[in-house]
Amino acid sequence: MRTETYLTVQEYRSKKGAASIVLKVIAVALSVYGMCRSFQGLVSLTLFTNLSNIFMDLVLFGFMVYEIKKFKKGGKTSPPANGWYVLKYMATTSITLTMFVYMALLAPTNPEGFVHSYLQNGAGSLCVHLISPLLAVIDFIVFDYYYESSRAHILFSMIPPLAYVGFVVALAEQGIRWNETMTAPYNFINYGAPTGWFGFDLSQMGSTTLGIGVAYNIIAVAIVFMIIGMFYLAVKNLRRRKMLGED
């Protein structure tokens, strides 16, 4: 005869807290591994992939410390300040941008092929571009339901990618070049390519440009980014109403 086992609310939250901690540890560990495998000095700190992973790791570590304290106190702690949640939302959307842009734009134009682009550097690329970002998204949706969100938070999420474009342009104007000739680390924001900011020539598509002006690429990415951000908030708020209603 099969014996049914039912968890009390306290036991459920305890197990959930442990799962949250484990997920964060794995996400941070794989992210750090991936960055270490491809680290090439200070130039690595100009890549949005690494900057978004570092941002995510710092935020996840902060929440990990909170979860450990909460776990030790049996759940009798208040959630972190709302500002921490906003930072986590910004980090999650930024790492999502890293995941989708690499998957849709960079991996397909990699000279050595789509699959190799993920498996290079001992699969470190797979960690920073896919596995860790997915774990961060899961963590945000599953474990942060107690925060109320508004669409205004989407404006905060736009700060990291737009600030990054300004950062890259500032470096390029100071004479810094990537891969010897590019005015940006990524082909879709390489404004020094023949198509520049507003040109259009798909015959130029390759590892240094998409053949589409950088301004158009930024607008397209921003729109997709906002849609993703709104989706995250909708899913999380739906889960929040459900979870708090059950309590």
Side-chain angles (χ1 to χ4, degrees), residues 102 106-108 110 112-121 123 125-126:
Y102 191 82
L106 301 179
N110 187 295
E112 297 188 43
F114 184 90
V115 175
H116 175 79
S117 69
Y118 280 102
L119 298 182
Q120 59 189 350
N121 300 318
S125 179
L126 181 67

Side-chain angles (χ1 to χ4, degrees), residues 44-103:
S44 295
L45 298 180
T46 66
L47 304 179
F48 189 78
T49 292
N50 289 334
L51 293 176
S52 61
N53 269 269
I54 291 172
F55 185 19
M56 179 196 74
D57 292 344
L58 292 175
V59 173
L60 286 182
F61 182 79
F63 273 85
M64 189 193 311
V65 172
Y66 160 76
E67 291 289 352
I68 291 174
K69 291 181 178 179
K70 180 180 177 182
F71 187 78
K72 288 182 177 180
K73 294 181 179 181
K76 297 179 180 180
T77 55
S78 300
N82 195 62
W84 271 98
Y85 158 73
V86 174
L87 281 176
K88 190 171 185 181
Y89 176 64
M90 292 168 63
T92 304
T93 50
S94 293
I95 203 68
T96 300
L97 180 64
T98 291
M99 178 173 63
F100 282 128
V101 167
Y102 191 82
M103 184 183 298

Side-chain angles (χ1 to χ4, degrees), residues 144-158:
D144 291 324
Y145 64 86
Y146 40 76
Y147 287 106
E148 181 64 53
S149 303
S150 70
R151 291 188 177 182
H153 287 146
I154 295 175
L155 299 179
F156 288 102
S157 72
M158 296 300 295

Side-chain angles (χ1 to χ4, degrees), residues 14-66:
S14 178
K15 288 181 179 292
K16 187 177 179 182
S20 175
I21 294 170
V22 170
L23 187 146
K24 290 177 175 63
V25 169
I26 295 174
V28 172
L30 290 178
S31 173
V32 172
Y33 164 78
M35 287 187 288
C36 288
R37 290 289 304 190
S38 61
F39 190 74
Q40 297 179 343
L42 292 179
V43 68
S44 295
L45 298 180
T46 66
L47 304 179
F48 189 78
T49 292
N50 289 334
L51 293 176
S52 61
N53 269 269
I54 291 172
F55 185 19
M56 179 196 74
D57 292 344
L58 292 175
V59 173
L60 286 182
F61 182 79
F63 273 85
M64 189 193 311
V65 172
Y66 160 76

